Amino acid sequence: MKFNEAEEAKIDELYDWFRQNPKLPKEIDRILLKRFYICMHGDINGIKKLIQINYSLRNKNAHIFLERDPTDADSKQTFDYADLVPLPGLTSEGYKVSCYRLIDFDPAKVNHTADTKAFFMVSDCRFNMYDGGSASSENVETFANGEVQIFDMNGYTLKHLSKMTFSTLRVYMTFLQEALPVHLKAIHIINCPSYLDKVVSIMKPFISREVYKLIIFHTSSLESLYEHVPRSILPEEYGGTGGKLAELKAQLLMELSRKRQV
């Protein structure tokens, strides 16, 4: 969507309110502010409440949201053994898709808190950018209508599961369900393991009924995934034409590094 003059004026007002609020940072990217606006359908009071929840959770969990660097040793380890990649383009419904998978299956590499920190670094980086489908459209004022996540369970074992920290999981799920400036539309779990019931039993207490309804388990093949996410968006590793995950990841890491310099 493109903001009209009246909407831009509301963003100006929200920006001034944000900067004058002593409980909030001194600055916020205008793109991110527009995401909050879209998420709450222009409801100013709702926008302010969501922003306050978002930053309150960040301040209470500084070890995940504030004390971070995409180039430090922990983050580098996460990015070396896992792909956390937003995919180019949008679905026919206007949804943005992100893909998460292991590329090194060694459970010793897992650091749940550092991995969660990296996840939110990637999210924050993308939320401060438009949702254009290519480099040529990255400055076009395009916002997705919702978020779709794909979690590839290939390589996950019970040893990986044992490295999970419940306090970190609680922060992750709370932020995902209560503080994101976007609407979560679907969570696709692919390459489901035989112990899927154990994963669900651990996660379910932290997931709201509404979010649980968004989870789709693909237990046989990727054919059922193609019914929801077009091949034009999916990377080559999943039978798509959206490029190679390694190349998309390299672009993401460059952007993370660039934003670190700002």
Side-chain angles (χ1 to χ4, degrees):
M1 66 172 287
K2 184 173 179 58
F3 279 58
N4 59 37
E5 188 174 335
E7 290 169 328
E8 291 286 359
K10 288 183 179 180
I11 295 299
D12 289 338
E13 293 175 11
L14 284 168
Y15 182 72
D16 291 338
W17 165 83
F18 187 96
R19 296 190 66 193
Q20 293 167 14
N21 192 317
K23 296 182 179 180
L24 297 174
K26 294 181 179 179
E27 291 291 338
I28 182 173
D29 193 290
R30 196 173 179 89
I31 295 176
L32 178 58
L33 197 54
K34 288 182 175 182
R35 287 194 186 277
F36 281 106
Y37 184 95
I38 293 169
C39 182
M40 299 308 295
H41 308 290
D43 176 4
I44 299 301
N45 289 332
I47 296 166
K48 291 179 179 179
K49 182 178 179 180
L50 181 59
I51 287 174
Q52 289 169 327
I53 291 172
N54 184 291
Y55 283 92
S56 175
L57 285 172
R58 290 175 185 275
N59 291 332
K60 289 178 182 176
N61 301 281
H63 64 296
I64 292 176
F65 293 101
L66 302 182
E67 301 164 6
R68 58 189 189 176
D69 182 341
T71 64
D72 65 20
D74 285 342
S75 298
K76 186 178 185 303
Q77 178 165 296
T78 295
F79 292 125
D80 281 347
Y81 91 90
D83 286 337
L84 313 168
V85 184
L87 304 180
L90 301 173
T91 69
S92 59
E93 300 91 349
Y95 300 156
K96 187 70 173 179
V97 182
S98 295
C99 182
Y100 311 100
R101 71 165 187 169
L102 294 178
I103 50 177
D104 183 334
F105 299 160
D106 182 1
K109 302 286 181 66
V110 175
N111 180 331
H112 190 210
T113 298
D115 298 344
T116 301
K117 183 188 298 187
F119 172 90
F120 284 119
M121 272 193 278
V122 171
S123 294
D124 287 348
C125 178
R126 191 183 75 69
F127 289 157
N128 282 278
M129 302 166 61
Y130 293 123
D131 295 324
S134 64
S136 62
S137 61
E138 64 181 6
N139 293 319
V140 177
E141 193 167 313
T142 302
F143 292 97
N145 296 326
E147 298 290 307
V148 172
Q149 298 179 344
I150 299 174
F151 287 92
D152 185 348
M153 297 294 290
N154 185 42
Y156 275 94
T157 66
L158 291 175
K159 287 186 177 180
H160 289 87
L161 204 59
S162 69
K163 304 292 285 289
M164 188 171 291
T165 305
F166 287 111
S167 59
T168 297
L169 178 60
R170 184 175 292 107
V171 172
Y172 170 81
M173 292 307 306
T174 300
F175 198 89
L176 191 72
Q177 295 172 114
E178 299 180 11
L180 283 185
V182 294
H183 290 292
L184 192 60
K185 296 296 184 179
I187 300 173
H188 297 280
I189 311 296
I190 63 175
N191 293 318
C192 298
S194 58
Y195 58 89
L196 181 62
D197 57 331
K198 292 183 174 63
V199 178
V200 174
S201 65
I202 290 174
M203 300 289 290
K204 199 168 183 179
F206 299 93
I207 304 175
S208 69
R209 183 178 301 178
E210 293 75 16
V211 170
Y212 189 76
K213 291 179 181 177
L214 301 177
I215 302 176
I216 303 172
F217 299 100
H218 302 272
T219 56
S220 55
S221 71
L222 294 181
E223 290 300 321
S224 55
L225 177 65
Y226 301 149
E227 296 174 9
H228 302 273
V229 182
R231 290 176 185 255
S232 60
I233 289 178
L234 289 169
E236 294 178 14
E237 292 83 348
Y238 297 110
T241 58
K244 296 181 182 296
L245 271 174
E247 295 173 358
L248 298 173
K249 182 178 181 178
Q251 295 172 14
L252 169 69
L253 293 178
M254 287 180 59
E255 186 62 26
L256 280 171
S257 179
R258 187 186 71 80
K259 288 188 178 298
R260 175 181 178 270
Q261 308 296 329
V262 175

